[in-house]
Amino acid sequence: MRDNESQGDDRQYITFIANGQEFASNIMAIREIRGWTDTTALPHVPDYVRGVINLRGMVLPVVDLKARLGLGMTEVTPKHVIIVINTGTRQSGLLVDAVSDIITLGAEDIQPPPDIMHCGGDNFIDGIAVRDGRMVTLLGIEGLTVTLN
Amino acid sequence: MRFKDLPVSKKLVGVFTCILVVTAALGLFAVSSLSKMNDATADIATNWMPAIADLGRYEYFMTRYRVAQGNYVMATTDEEHAAQVKNLQIYLPQADENWNKYLPTVTTAEEKAMAEKIVAARAAYDPMQAKVEEILKTQGKDAAIAYFQGPMKAAFSVLIAAADDDMNFNQTSGKAAADKSQTVYGNARLLIFIALALAIAFCAAAGYALMRAISAPLRNMTTAMGELAAGNLQTHVPHADQADEIGQLAEAMTGFKNQLAAAERAKEEQTQVIVASIGAGLDHLAKGNLTHRVAAELTGDFAKLKRDFNEAMTRLQDTMKKVLGATTEIETGAGEISQAADDLSRRTEQQAASLEETAAALEEITATVKKTAANAKDASHSVTDAKAAAEDGGRVVETAIHAMDSIAQSSRQITDIIGVIDEIAFQTNLLALNAGVEAARAGEAGKGFAVVASEVRALAQRSSEAAKQIKALIQTSGQHVDNGVKFVGESGEALKRIVDQVLQINALVSEMAMAAEQQSTGIEQVNAAVSQMDQVTQQNAAMVEQSTAASRNLAGETKTLSNLVGFFAVGETARAAAAPKKPYARQAPQAPRPATGGARRVATSAASRAASAAPDSDWTEF
C-alpha cells in the first residue's frame, strides 16, 4: 500500500537477528544471502573479521556482526547466515544468526538514534524503527564495513 | 729262750739297730781313709808342685840376667850398653817376683835351710854387677871380661847349684807324698772289704734268727686256724707258752675255740624250744583254734619267726571274723535282691503296657505323615504349572521388546528424513530471500516477482514449522517408546524373578515330600523297634523270675558258708560282736516281704511265684 502511495519515501529493509536482537538494513545495499560456509582465517586483522570466503571466484571478507557491535564472538552453526553486502566497488560478508523478513518502512516509521550514541566511536546506526511492538535497529551497513577498506 | 720271749717289735728293732751300727762304722772308716788321701793329694798340689814351678822360673830369669850381664860386658857401643842395662832392670825384678811367690811354700826345716843357702848365694852375687861396671869403666873391657868369666861365674854357679838342690828336694818330697797316698788307699780298701764281709755275715745271721722267731710260729698258727674254720673244735693251739704277741694270739684263739663250742650247744637247745612251741601252734591251727599264740621265749631270727607266726594267726583270726560278718551281710543282700526282683517284674509289665500305647500312637502318626507327603506332591504339580505360565509371559514380553525396538528404529529414520526436509526448507527460505533482494533491485519491474518470492518464503517457513512440529512429535513418541521398552523390560525381569521363585518353591515342596516319605520310613522303623522292645520286655519278665529263684539259692548257700566258717574259733569278743548282728540282719529285710509278695501275686497272677514264695517264708523262719 505504502509502496503505491509514496514511492519516494518508502524503502525496503531486510531484518536479521544477531545476539537475539533484531536489526534491519537497506535492501539495496545487499547483494546476496548465503548459508554459512567455513572461512579462511587471516592474520593481523581485528577479531570481528572471521576470515575470507570464496564467492564464485571472488574473495570476500566476513565480519561477525555480534563481535563488530562489541558483544562477543558468534558460535556458528549451519543455520547461521552470511549477508553479502555491496558497497560501491567492494563486496563483503556479514555473519548474522538468521534472516527474518523483508520489510518496507516509510520515513515516518524511523526515529533517529538518541544523541547519547554520538559520544564516541563509529556511528553506524541510522535509526530505530518500531514494528509490532518490537524495536528494530537500522544499521548503516556501509559504515560497518568501511574500516575494512 | 730270752730272745724268744722278747716282743716282736723289740726283736725287729734290736736286729736292725745292730745292722745300722755296723754300717755306720764302715762308713766312718771309709770317710777317714778318704780324707787322709785327700790331704796327701792337696799337699802335692798346693805345696810341692808350685814350689818346683816357681823355682824353675826363678832360675830361668836369673840365667837370662846372667846372659844380659855378659852381653853388657861384651858390648862395644854406648847404645848396646844402654839396651843391656834396660834388660838387666827387666829380668832382676821378675826373678825376685818368682822368688817371693816361692817363699810361702817353704814348709820344712830342711827346705828352709836350702832357701837360706840360695839367699846367701844371691847376696854374694848381686854386688858383683856394680863391681864389673866399675872395672869396665876403670880397667877396660878385657879386665871386665876376665872378672865376668872368673869370680863372677863362680858365684853364679853356687847360686844355680843351690837352686837346683832346692828343686830336687821339692821334687823328691812331692813323690814321697804321692807314695804315701798310694799306701793309704791300699790299706783302706783292704779294711773296707773285711768290714763289708763281716756286715753281710751279721745280716744273714740276724735274718735267720728273725725267721725262726716270727715266721715259723705264724705258719703253725695259720694251720691251726684253718682247722678251726673247718669246724674241728678239738684242734690243739700251739705256742701258747710263749710270752710274746704270738703267745697272746694263741691264748685268744683258745678262748675263741671254747666260745664256739658253747654257742653250738646253745643253738641245739634253742632248736628244741622252737620246734616244740611252733609245733604246738601249728597243731592248734589244724584244730581250728585261731586264738592260740606262741608264748615261748625265742632269740635271734627265731624271735622274728615267732612274731611272724603270731601275726599270721592274728591276721587269720581277723580275716575269719570279717568273713563271718560278710556272710551275714550276704544273707541280708540276698533278701534284698529277691524283693528288688519282684519290683522289677511289676515295672516290666507296666513298661509292656506303655509300649503298646506307643505303638498305636505311632500308627496314627504314620497315616498323617503319608497324607502330608501326598499333599506335597500335589503342591509340586501346581507349582510346575505356575512356572510354565510365567515362562510363557516372559516370551511375550521379549516379543513386545523386539516390537518396541523396531518402532524406535523407525522413529529415528523418520527424524533423519525430517532433518532433510528442514534443511530443504532453510535453503528454500534463503533462495526466496535472494529472490526478494533481486526483485527489490529490479524496482518496479520486480514487484510481481517479489510477491512470488514472498509466497515461496511463506511456504518454506510453513514447511520448516511443520518439520519442527513433526520432529517434536517423533521425539515425544520416541520417549514413549523408550519408556515402554523400559517398563516391558522390567515386567520381563519381574516374570523371571517369579519363575526363579517358583522354581525355589518347587524345590522346597519336593524336599518336603521327600522328608515326609523319610519320616514315614523312620516311623515304621520306630514301630519295629517298639515291637522289639515289647518282646524284650517279655523276655526280661521271664529272666526276673529266674533271678528271684537264684537269689533264694544264694541265701541257702550263704547259710552253708556261715556254718563252715563257724568251725574256726575266733575268740570270745569277736563271737559276741558278730552273734547279735546276725538275727537283725536276717530278719529286717524279710519283714516287709510277705506284704509286697502278696501285692505282686494279685497283680501278676503268676502261679510259679506263689509256689516259690512259700519256701521263702519257711526259710526265713529257719
Side-chain angles (χ1 to χ4, degrees):
Chain A
M1 288 195 323
R2 225 175 260 174
D3 290 353
N4 296 334
E5 286 172 8
S6 51
Q7 187 66 39
D9 288 1
D10 291 350
R11 285 184 181 174
Q12 280 191 310
Y13 292 86
I14 280 186
T15 62
F16 45 87
I17 294 169
N19 198 35
Q21 196 182 344
E22 198 165 14
F23 296 91
S25 179
N26 191 347
I27 203 166
M28 297 310 285
I30 288 166
R31 184 75 189 91
E32 192 181 342
I33 296 162
R34 294 184 56 81
W36 169 256
T37 47
D38 286 331
T39 59
T40 304
L42 289 174
H44 302 303
V45 293
D47 61 346
Y48 54 80
V49 178
R50 300 292 292 230
V52 292
I53 58 170
N54 182 3
L55 181 69
R56 287 186 291 278
M58 188 170 59
V59 174
L60 186 75
V62 177
V63 174
D64 185 337
L65 177 60
K66 186 180 171 187
R68 185 68 181 88
L69 296 174
L71 300 168
M73 297 293 283
T74 304
E75 299 273 326
V76 287
T77 65
K79 294 284 180 186
H80 280 75
V81 175
I82 294 170
I83 299 170
V84 180
I85 301 160
N86 193 2
T87 52
T89 56
R90 177 101 188 140
Q91 290 188 346
S92 56
L94 190 68
L95 171 63
V96 299
D97 290 350
V99 174
S100 315
D101 206 353
I102 297 171
I103 57 172
T104 306
L105 292 175
E108 68 278 8
D109 296 325
I110 298 165
Q111 296 178 18
D115 290 344
I116 198 165
M117 292 188 72
H118 292 283
C119 291
D122 302 320
N123 181 19
F124 34 72
I125 297 175
D126 287 349
I128 294 169
V130 179
R131 270 184 65 88
D132 307 332
R134 286 177 291 138
M135 300 286 268
V136 179
T137 309
L138 303 182
L139 290 176
I141 293 184
E142 298 89 340
L144 280 178
T145 55
V146 153
T147 48
L148 292 174
N149 303 319
Chain B
M1 277 301 125
R2 253 181 69 81
F3 182 68
K4 203 175 174 186
D5 289 342
L6 276 175
V8 173
S9 59
K10 280 184 184 164
K11 281 176 195 163
L12 290 172
V13 166
V15 169
F16 284 119
T17 310
C18 291
I19 291 169
L20 190 68
V21 166
V22 169
T23 314
L26 188 61
L28 282 174
F29 179 70
V31 166
S32 78
S33 302
L34 276 174
S35 76
K36 265 187 208 167
M37 270 163 67
N38 191 40
D39 288 347
T41 313
D43 197 26
I44 293 166
T46 58
N47 189 7
W48 305 120
M49 298 284 278
I52 291 166
D54 290 336
L55 277 176
R57 271 196 297 277
Y58 176 71
E59 211 176 301
Y60 166 73
F61 282 115
M62 284 311 291
T63 310
R64 292 288 299 267
Y65 179 65
R66 168 84 186 156
V67 170
Q69 278 175 334
N71 286 341
Y72 176 78
V73 172
M74 301 290 183
T76 50
T77 61
D78 283 346
E79 284 93 29
E80 280 180 24
H81 277 294
Q84 293 310 322
V85 168
K86 214 177 200 176
N87 280 343
L88 288 176
Q89 281 165 359
I90 291 167
Y91 295 136
L92 197 63
Q94 281 184 340
D96 286 341
E97 192 187 332
N98 280 304
W99 178 250
N100 288 333
K101 268 180 170 173
Y102 163 72
L103 277 179
T105 60
V106 176
T107 45
T108 57
E110 198 177 352
E111 198 182 358
K112 207 170 180 181
M114 284 179 178
E116 276 166 8
K117 230 187 212 174
I118 292 167
V119 169
R122 177 82 189 277
Y125 183 70
D126 274 349
M128 284 182 176
Q129 173 63 18
K131 201 170 178 187
V132 83
E133 278 175 30
E134 199 188 321
I135 290 170
L136 190 65
K137 280 176 191 168
T138 54
Q139 295 171 22
K141 194 179 169 184
D142 292 338
I145 292 170
Y147 182 75
F148 182 74
Q149 293 288 1
M152 210 167 163
K153 192 178 177 182
F156 186 74
S157 297
V158 172
L159 175 62
I160 292 300
D164 281 346
D165 283 352
D166 200 352
M167 250 165 81
N168 284 336
F169 171 76
N170 270 311
Q171 215 164 349
T172 317
S173 298
K175 205 162 182 202
D179 288 347
K180 191 180 157 198
S181 171
Q182 194 71 32
T183 317
V184 167
Y185 167 70
N187 290 342
R189 195 172 58 175
L190 187 66
L191 282 171
I192 285 167
F193 276 139
I194 291 164
L196 263 178
L198 280 174
I200 288 164
F202 183 75
C203 285
Y208 179 71
L210 278 180
M211 212 166 74
R212 280 293 307 274
I214 298 168
S215 182
L218 277 178
R219 200 162 48 242
N220 292 341
M221 294 299 287
T222 309
T223 314
M225 262 168 114
E227 291 274 313
L228 267 181
N232 186 7
L233 295 178
Q234 305 305 316
T235 316
H236 170 69
V237 180
H239 303 290
D241 52 342
Q242 275 181 225
D244 61 353
E245 282 91 338
I246 299 199
Q248 288 165 11
L249 183 65
E251 270 174 37
M253 249 178 84
T254 311
F256 175 60
K257 188 181 87 180
N258 293 341
Q259 213 168 353
L260 266 183
E264 197 74 17
R265 274 195 303 282
K267 209 161 99 185
E268 268 174 33
E269 282 167 17
Q270 187 83 30
T271 310
Q272 287 287 328
V273 174
I274 290 154
V275 167
S277 57
I278 301 289
L282 287 172
D283 193 34
H284 279 289
L285 179 60
K287 283 171 184 159
N289 180 10
L290 300 180
T291 55
H292 180 77
R293 297 286 183 276
V294 175
E297 285 293 329
L298 297 181
T299 56
D301 288 345
F302 300 109
K304 189 176 181 306
L305 178 65
K306 173 192 164 186
R307 202 167 55 245
D308 289 349
F309 181 82
N310 283 346
E311 204 172 320
M313 288 297 273
T314 311
R315 286 271 171 84
L316 198 56
Q317 192 179 359
D318 289 349
T319 309
M320 276 304 161
K321 277 180 196 167
K322 282 177 190 159
V323 167
L324 273 175
T327 310
T328 313
E329 281 175 21
I330 289 167
E331 280 175 20
T332 314
E336 283 170 4
I337 288 168
S338 288
Q339 197 183 345
D342 289 344
D343 290 352
L344 183 61
S345 159
R346 199 173 65 249
R347 284 179 202 140
T348 307
E349 272 153 26
Q350 283 176 359
Q351 200 179 2
S354 302
L355 278 171
E356 270 173 30
E357 283 173 19
T358 310
L362 274 173
E363 266 166 29
E364 280 176 24
I365 291 169
T366 310
T368 312
V369 166
K370 276 181 183 161
K371 203 174 165 191
T372 308
N375 287 346
K377 270 181 193 164
D378 287 350
S380 177
H381 286 308
S382 302
V383 165
T384 311
D385 290 348
K387 184 187 151 201
E391 279 170 354
D392 285 348
R395 277 193 287 279
V396 169
V397 165
E398 274 173 25
T399 314
I401 289 170
H402 281 305
M404 294 281 193
D405 282 343
S406 302
I407 291 168
Q409 186 108 19
S410 302
S411 297
R412 276 196 292 281
Q413 286 172 357
I414 291 166
T415 309
D416 292 345
I417 293 163
I418 296 295
V420 173
I421 291 168
D422 195 32
E423 179 68 16
I424 291 165
F426 177 73
Q427 294 295 339
T428 309
N429 190 26
L430 284 184
L431 283 172
L433 281 169
N434 279 325
V437 170
E438 290 298 330
R441 282 176 176 277
E444 204 62 33
K447 282 224 166 177
F449 186 62
V451 173
V452 174
S454 93
E455 286 301 317
V456 171
R457 222 162 53 79
L459 279 173
Q461 276 173 352
R462 270 170 62 194
S463 68
S464 176
E465 288 296 318
K468 273 176 192 156
Q469 281 173 5
I470 291 166
K471 205 172 173 183
L473 283 172
I474 292 290
Q475 274 174 354
T476 314
S477 85
Q479 278 173 3
H480 289 319
V481 166
D482 284 346
N483 284 338
V485 167
K486 201 173 82 186
F487 292 140
V488 168
E490 280 176 9
S491 69
E493 289 294 315
L495 276 170
K496 269 185 192 162
R497 282 203 293 276
I498 289 168
V499 168
D500 288 345
Q501 303 227 334
V502 164
L503 283 174
Q504 280 182 7
I505 291 167
N506 196 12
L508 288 172
V509 168
S510 301
E511 276 180 27
M512 274 163 67
M514 212 183 294
E517 276 174 21
Q518 282 177 355
Q519 278 176 13
S520 176
T521 317
I523 286 167
E524 273 169 22
Q525 283 174 357
V526 171
N527 235 340
V530 166
S531 63
Q532 210 172 350
M533 274 161 71
D534 196 22
Q535 212 171 342
V536 170
T537 311
Q538 305 275 350
Q539 286 172 357
N540 281 355
M543 204 169 280
V544 165
E545 283 187 24
Q546 283 176 4
S547 72
T548 310
S551 67
R552 293 210 178 103
N553 284 343
L554 179 65
E557 293 296 328
T558 309
K559 180 66 187 167
T560 315
L561 177 64
S562 177
N563 284 340
L564 286 174
V565 172
F567 167 72
F568 288 105
V570 294
E572 283 303 315
T573 50
R575 208 170 286 167
K581 211 173 166 187
K582 268 182 199 167
Y584 287 127
R586 268 182 201 168
Q587 278 164 6
Q590 299 298 349
R593 208 175 213 178
T596 53
R600 169 170 47 81
R601 272 195 291 274
V602 172
T604 59
S605 72
S608 61
R609 273 178 208 163
S612 67
D616 188 15
S617 55
D618 290 346
W619 181 78
T620 310
E621 279 155 18
F622 170 78

